[in-house]
Amino acid sequence: MDHVYFITTKHKKGKHISYEERMIIQLRLKDVWPANRIAREIGCAPNTVRNEIRRGTVELYHGHVQRYKAKAGQEKYEQNRSAFCGRALETGAFTRDQVVCTKTLYNYVDLGFMETRNHHLPEKLRRNTKAGKMRENKKNLGRSIKNVSEKLIPVKSLVIGKLTW
C-alpha cells in the first residue's frame, strides 16, 4: 500500500478476530472511531466489530462507566470457545486438531463420509437450508457454437487478423 502506517490485512471470511485486532479495536474506540471505520481498517464486517465491542465491554467504577477492553474480549472468546468443544477435549475423546466446527461436521455427513444421517442431528433439522437452483438464461441469443457446422466457423488465415469463410 501507499500509506506508511497501513496495517490492514485481508481478513478471510469466517476467520476469528485475533488478540492484535482486538487491541486495534480498543485503541480506535479510545480515539472515538465508529465501528464501520474500525471494521474497514481491520478488514472485517462492521457487525463483527459491534459484536466484539459488546463481548469485550466491561463495567468500571462500580458500573458507572463502560469501556471495551481487548483482554476481556479475548478471555470471553476463549471461554465461549472452550465451552463449545470443551467436553470432547476434557474427556480426551479428541485432540484440538481433530475437533471440527458444526458446519464442517454436517458437510461430512452430507458427503457420506460418516454413517450418521440427518435425522440423527437435531441441530441440522433446525437449520434453514436454501434450495440451490440453476438459473436459466433470460434470452435465447441464437444457436450454440457447439451446434454450428464446422464450415461456418471462421478460420484465421495466414495473414494475421484476417478472417476467411
Side-chain angles (χ1 to χ4, degrees):
M1 288 287 153
D2 296 339
H3 306 302
V4 177
Y5 299 107
F6 190 79
I7 58 173
T8 301
T9 58
K10 185 70 175 169
H11 191 87
K12 186 177 178 185
K13 184 175 180 178
K15 182 179 159 288
H16 295 253
I17 295 178
S18 65
Y19 183 70
E20 290 79 21
E21 290 169 332
R22 286 182 173 89
M23 286 301 297
I24 292 171
I25 292 173
Q26 179 178 337
L27 292 173
R28 298 304 178 239
L29 285 174
K30 195 176 265 188
D31 295 338
V32 196
W33 281 27
N36 289 356
R37 189 170 173 193
I38 296 171
R40 209 174 312 125
E41 181 178 351
I42 292 175
C44 66
N47 206 33
T48 303
V49 174
R50 287 187 206 101
N51 290 338
E52 179 58 35
I53 291 170
R54 193 176 312 118
R55 179 183 302 122
T57 300
V58 295
E59 293 182 349
L60 304 172
Y61 309 112
H62 304 291
H64 295 291
V65 178
Q66 291 184 341
R67 296 247 169 79
Y68 174 80
K69 298 291 183 186
K71 187 175 181 181
Q74 183 71 20
E75 288 171 357
K76 183 71 173 173
Y77 163 75
E78 290 171 359
Q79 178 185 1
N80 291 342
R81 190 80 175 143
S82 67
F84 182 71
C85 58
R87 186 178 55 159
L89 295 174
E90 286 175 4
T91 59
F94 299 101
T95 63
R96 173 62 75 183
D97 297 335
Q98 294 173 330
V99 176
V100 296
C101 70
T102 308
K103 183 169 175 48
T104 305
L105 182 67
Y106 290 165
N107 286 339
Y108 288 167
V109 170
D110 287 341
L111 292 171
F113 292 156
M114 304 172 72
E115 294 180 8
T116 307
R117 298 287 170 235
N118 288 337
H119 66 274
H120 296 131
L121 306 169
E123 183 70 27
K124 182 146 189 188
L125 296 176
R126 282 188 231 131
R127 289 185 179 212
N128 185 13
T129 58
K130 297 181 178 46
K133 58 182 178 180
M134 293 296 293
R135 184 179 155 267
E136 294 292 327
N137 292 334
K138 290 184 178 181
K139 295 180 184 178
N140 188 3
L141 300 176
R143 296 184 300 174
S144 172
I145 193 74
K146 295 175 187 173
N147 299 334
V148 176
S149 67
E150 294 198 19
K151 59 184 175 182
L152 294 177
I153 299 174
V155 180
K156 288 200 179 220
S157 65
L158 294 177
V159 179
I160 296 177
K162 186 176 180 183
L163 297 175
T164 58
W165 293 93

